[in-house]
Amino acid sequence: MKLFALIFFVALGTGCSAFERYVPETQPLDNGPLAVPDVSVNITNLGSCTDSPDRTLRFNSNLPVTILVHGCNGSAGRFRELAQLYTFHGQQAVCFTYDDRASLVDSAQNLRTAIDQLYNQTNKQNISVIGHSMGGLVARKAMESPYENEYFQDDIELSLVTVSAPLAGIKVAQACGSKLFHWLSLGFIPASCWAVSGDNWYEITSASNFIKKPSPLSPSIHKYLKIVTDEKGTCRRSNKKGACLKSDYVFDLEEQYHPIIDGYSQVTNIKVEAGHVEIVGYKGVSPRKLLSTLQQNGMLPKTPPEQRAELEKLLARLY
């Protein structure tokens, strides 16, 4: 049993390690064509998409805002390049940060509070939330019908995008959700699950109510774009001979589809053939498929023909 558990935890840890070794990105974003910020405010867990210790949020209150939510082992700075692509297209993006070992319910409540506080600083502008991987779980939970004693503004209009999110639970964490395995291991598996994943160790399993019983989306959500990635056969790093050294396969389609969530009236399911990290971009690989999908579904302005050459230069510089 212990040998099985150790093998399982190695697999789980690998599944969470979605990015290569990362050097914190502290440089501020280039505002480009965006209007000059007219708000400077501190909102817990919300800030610019950099790893700068200065988390003061500066934005223009007359423009829509997109909130990017990273996955596990992520940070605001990992989405700096993506935020810069939003800027290029005349949109402003900010980043929500959270402890990926904390309860997903707690992180979702923090995101919900941050959205409400952000909206109170805007001139009734629309807000979009994009969550990648585990960030998609946090974003989905935050968008559910109001918790007891909590509410969104009545006139707030939100859009939700989840990308490569294991909404049906993480398969390699299945042992964490088995009460039989808990008993047979004399408590070793629950303790080890917590050691690997933290306070969300049970929430990420298909046995949890977090996964099994999602609530309807809040009436404030007028659109939910659910991007499912077909990651089969994808590769993140190859050698000079073309042999794959590190796979970009993390979640299969079954982990990303969910019968209840897929039945939401606001949801549009889009399947994209892309690796788990490829879809959001990393050094050497730009997120072209994500940009195209967002643009085709009205979540990001299309690139004007006269700006396509400049976009190519920007992609080459960023990635």
Side-chain angles (χ1 to χ4, degrees), residues 17 19 38 73 101 117 135 147 211 229 260 282 290:
S17 300
F19 292 87
D38 61 358
N73 288 343
R101 290 181 59 81
Q117 293 177 358
Y147 301 115
I211 296 295
T229 47
I260 297 177
Y282 60 99
L290 177 60

Side-chain angles (χ1 to χ4, degrees), residues 103-117:
S103 163
L104 299 179
V105 172
D106 291 345
S107 296
Q109 289 175 331
N110 291 337
L111 174 57
R112 191 183 186 90
T113 299
I115 293 171
D116 203 49
Q117 293 177 358

Side-chain angles (χ1 to χ4, degrees), residues 244-290:
C244 186
L245 299 177
K246 187 168 186 179
S247 172
D248 203 14
Y249 179 99
V250 177
F251 301 127
D252 64 21
L253 296 177
E254 189 177 357
E255 289 170 287
Q256 299 176 65
Y257 286 116
H258 192 294
I260 297 177
I261 294 172
D262 294 334
Y264 288 160
S265 61
Q266 304 100 317
V267 75
T268 298
N269 263 305
I270 301 291
K271 185 173 74 171
V272 180
E273 293 185 0
H276 190 75
V277 184
E278 173 197 355
I279 190 69
V280 292
Y282 60 99
K283 186 174 177 57
V285 176
S286 58
R288 295 178 183 274
K289 295 177 181 178
L290 177 60

Side-chain angles (χ1 to χ4, degrees), residues 12-41:
L12 178 58
T14 301
C16 189
S17 300
F19 292 87
E20 305 293 334
R21 178 176 295 181
Y22 174 70
V23 177
E25 178 58 76
T26 59
Q27 293 300 312
L29 271 67
D30 178 3
N31 280 332
L34 290 180
V36 176
D38 61 358
V39 172
S40 179
V41 65

Side-chain angles (χ1 to χ4, degrees), residues 102-284:
S103 163
L104 299 179
V105 172
D106 291 345
S107 296
Q109 289 175 331
N110 291 337
L111 174 57
R112 191 183 186 90
T113 299
I115 293 171
D116 203 49
Q117 293 177 358
L118 174 64
Y119 184 74
N120 286 334
Q121 297 291 330
T122 71
N123 290 326
K124 298 187 182 299
Q125 293 298 316
N126 297 342
I127 295 176
S128 299
V129 179
I130 300 181
H132 175 242
S133 193
M134 182 181 284
L137 298 181
V138 173
R140 187 273 296 172
K141 186 66 175 178
M143 299 295 102
E144 287 184 355
S145 293
Y147 301 115
E148 185 178 359
N149 298 325
E150 291 189 19
Y151 59 92
F152 279 140
Q153 300 288 333
D154 291 339
D155 53 357
I156 190 171
E157 191 169 282
L158 300 171
S159 296
L160 170 64
V161 181
T162 57
V163 183
S164 309
L167 298 171
I170 299 176
K171 285 184 177 179
V172 295
Q174 186 173 356
C176 292
S178 171
K179 297 295 178 63
L180 176 61
F181 282 0
H182 296 178
W183 180 77
L184 291 176
S185 69
L186 301 179
F188 174 80
I189 283 183
S192 299
C193 289
W194 179 88
V196 171
S197 189
D199 291 340
N200 59 55
W201 69 270
Y202 188 72
E203 294 169 335
I204 62 176
T205 72
S206 60
S208 70
N209 285 338
F210 183 95
I211 296 295
K212 288 196 305 183
K213 299 180 179 181
S215 298
L217 292 180
S218 166
S220 300
I221 312 302
H222 72 97
K223 185 173 185 178
Y224 175 12
L225 179 62
K226 184 166 167 281
I227 301 176
V228 173
T229 47
D230 186 349
E231 303 171 5
K232 183 172 56 179
T234 59
C235 185
R236 198 177 311 169
R237 188 173 69 247
S238 303
N239 62 19
K240 293 181 179 179
K241 295 182 179 181
C244 186
L245 299 177
K246 187 168 186 179
S247 172
D248 203 14
Y249 179 99
V250 177
F251 301 127
D252 64 21
L253 296 177
E254 189 177 357
E255 289 170 287
Q256 299 176 65
Y257 286 116
H258 192 294
I260 297 177
I261 294 172
D262 294 334
Y264 288 160
S265 61
Q266 304 100 317
V267 75
T268 298
N269 263 305
I270 301 291
K271 185 173 74 171
V272 180
E273 293 185 0
H276 190 75
V277 184
E278 173 197 355
I279 190 69
V280 292
Y282 60 99
K283 186 174 177 57

